[in-house]
Amino acid sequence: MRVSSQGVTVVALLADPDAPTEIAQRMARMLPDRLADRSDHGQRFDVEVVSEPFTAGTEDLFTLTRRIMDRGSRADWDIVVALTDLPLHSHGHKIVVDVSHEHGLALLSLPTLGGFRLQTRARQAVEEAVLSLAGPQATGPEGPPGSQPLRGPFTGRLAPIHPGQVGEEEIADLRYVLSGPRGYLKVLGGMVRANRPWRLVPGLSKALAAALATGAVATVNSTIWTLATSLSTPRLVIAMVGSVALMIGWLIVDANLWHRTDDVSREARRRAALYNASTVLTVGIGVIVCYVGLVVINLVWALFILNDRVFATTTRTPLHSTEYWTLAWFVASVATVGGALGSGLESDEAIRAAAYSKREQERRSALQEDAGD
């Protein structure tokens, strides 16, 4: 490991734009002090954040590692830790982190850290990678590079993370991977979090406007009153599930969000299934958030606009809290169907921007361009 002439180890956090950069910027504030406290050799650290799309146009692990090496060689950095929200694969496993002690670099895939406590887990992973690269085991007599295992989020009997196989032709000398069903769910949760599904609602303005308009009209429609009061709870649940499923399916099909691959290999099919599962969950969470919002808005609108005498005369049912809730629930299902139709007015680009992270948008655009060629 190289150390600057001032005795300070310069650490660069090379982060993809959007979420990885935000995570890197937040951890950079506390990282120097935490690294210095945990270092066994009284080292000092200086942390820089560089936001660059180093994963643009490729998912190949060797290509990404070469890019990180080339970028580090052009700057006065001692250690480079690259952060991406791209799920990385090698030998059928999902890579958590690759470390090369010889070149002083590490590559961390954020989705493999899961969907919860991502900031804390990412900071712990970066700390462990930096301390491993800065420690004597990188070049000292205590063992070959990578012989010292990482700690932090990489240990624990229940953790689905374990050391992975590194090929002789690869640059890394230490690798941690995810495996098993728990590992799959963890990376799936990380991918959904990277897509930020809560942004789907404000991102689909035309669909939301159509849903709100449909709900406003349906709330004052006497036929809807009669239907709502006559439907049993199981039928209301079926209406809710059906409308949400219709909205999810319509958005995925209309905006061409379903990932297809011409590669017939098993790994390619697994990767496509992972991307499609993250798409369904991302869109599903966004639609459910929209549905809950519609229930609340329709309930407030019903409380404001409905007349209990007119309602009771039309439906032969007194207007009590149960009827308000039932009507708002059923109208939300009707409004969601209206929102699905309104989403057809949205451009495919607007839906992708609302449903995916910036990196995922770039990845899918590149795939479409390759398919077009």
Side-chain angles (χ1 to χ4, degrees):
M1 182 201 70
R2 297 169 297 152
V3 180
S4 60
S5 58
Q6 293 81 6
V8 178
T9 301
V10 179
V11 179
L13 300 181
L14 181 63
D16 264 336
D18 206 13
T21 296
E22 296 174 7
I23 291 173
Q25 289 173 341
R26 284 194 292 266
M27 76 169 65
R29 303 187 187 103
M30 63 181 71
L31 208 53
D33 292 336
R34 291 185 60 88
L35 290 172
D37 292 340
R38 295 187 57 189
S39 175
D40 298 330
H41 309 283
Q43 292 174 282
R44 292 183 297 159
F45 295 86
D46 184 24
V47 178
E48 300 178 7
V49 177
V50 180
S51 179
E52 291 183 6
F54 68 93
T55 58
T58 185
E59 298 182 33
D60 181 66
L61 187 60
F62 182 81
T63 302
L64 294 178
T65 308
R66 292 296 308 182
R67 287 182 181 180
I68 298 169
M69 288 176 54
D70 295 340
R71 183 63 180 88
S73 65
R74 298 196 305 268
D76 189 21
W77 301 331
D78 303 315
I79 294 173
V80 183
V81 180
L83 285 75
T84 180
D85 54 4
L86 180 71
L88 304 175
H89 302 78
S90 179
H91 303 291
H93 294 289
K94 302 166 187 66
I95 295 176
V96 180
V97 64
D98 263 7
V99 180
S100 173
H101 292 85
E102 178 183 356
H103 301 94
L105 64 86
L107 173 58
L108 177 65
S109 176
L110 294 175
T112 56
L113 299 179
F116 302 100
R117 300 177 62 242
L118 178 59
Q119 183 68 45
T120 300
R121 290 175 175 173
R123 176 181 52 76
Q124 292 174 345
V126 170
E127 287 179 9
E128 293 300 329
V130 171
L131 292 174
S132 177
L133 292 169
Q137 64 267 25
T139 56
E142 300 178 15
S147 62
Q148 299 293 330
L150 302 183
R151 296 170 294 177
F154 306 102
T155 59
R157 289 183 300 174
L158 298 179
I161 302 176
H162 59 84
Q165 176 186 357
V166 181
E168 294 181 358
E169 73 284 356
E170 297 187 79
I171 298 173
D173 51 54
L174 180 63
R175 169 175 296 162
Y176 279 82
V177 298
L178 280 175
S179 63
R182 291 183 65 244
Y184 180 89
L185 293 176
K186 193 168 187 177
V187 70
L188 181 60
M191 292 175 67
V192 172
R193 189 190 190 284
N195 288 335
R196 301 178 180 182
W198 52 87
R199 301 187 306 182
L200 187 67
V201 177
L204 299 178
S205 57
K206 295 177 182 178
L208 185 59
L212 291 173
T214 303
V217 173
T219 302
V220 297
N221 187 287
S222 59
T223 303
I224 298 294
W225 297 351
T226 304
L227 284 173
T229 55
S230 62
L231 290 176
S232 62
T233 300
R235 290 189 174 185
L236 289 171
V237 172
I238 292 174
M240 175 184 67
V241 173
S243 62
V244 169
L246 176 63
M247 182 70 162
I248 294 172
W250 181 272
L251 288 173
I252 292 175
V253 173
D254 185 57
N256 195 25
L257 302 182
W258 197 255
H259 178 80
R260 296 178 177 86
T261 178
D262 296 328
D263 192 342
V264 297
S265 66
R266 184 178 181 182
E267 184 172 347
R269 292 199 303 270
R270 285 182 175 179
R271 189 178 305 182
L274 181 63
Y275 282 125
N276 288 329
S278 70
T279 295
V280 172
L281 284 177
T282 298
V283 177
I285 292 173
V287 171
I288 290 173
V289 170
C290 180
Y291 187 94
V292 173
L294 287 173
V295 171
V296 174
I297 293 173
N298 291 330
L299 180 61
V300 173
W301 175 239
L303 289 170
F304 174 76
I305 201 69
L306 293 186
N307 183 282
D308 54 349
R309 292 183 180 178
V310 175
F311 186 91
T313 301
T314 303
T315 64
R316 297 181 181 179
T317 303
L319 185 59
H320 299 309
S321 58
T322 302
E323 283 66 40
Y324 276 115
W325 163 250
T326 302
L327 179 63
W329 186 7
F330 181 63
V331 168
S333 300
V334 175
T336 300
V337 175
L341 299 176
S343 66
L345 302 175
E346 303 278 4
S347 65
D348 292 352
E349 291 75 14
I351 296 177
R352 292 193 189 98
Y356 292 133
S357 65
K358 185 175 181 179
R359 178 64 189 86
E360 182 65 6
Q361 294 176 53
E362 293 172 352
R363 188 190 70 81
R364 289 177 177 263
S365 297
L367 288 175
Q368 287 187 343
E369 291 175 2
D370 292 343
D373 297 337

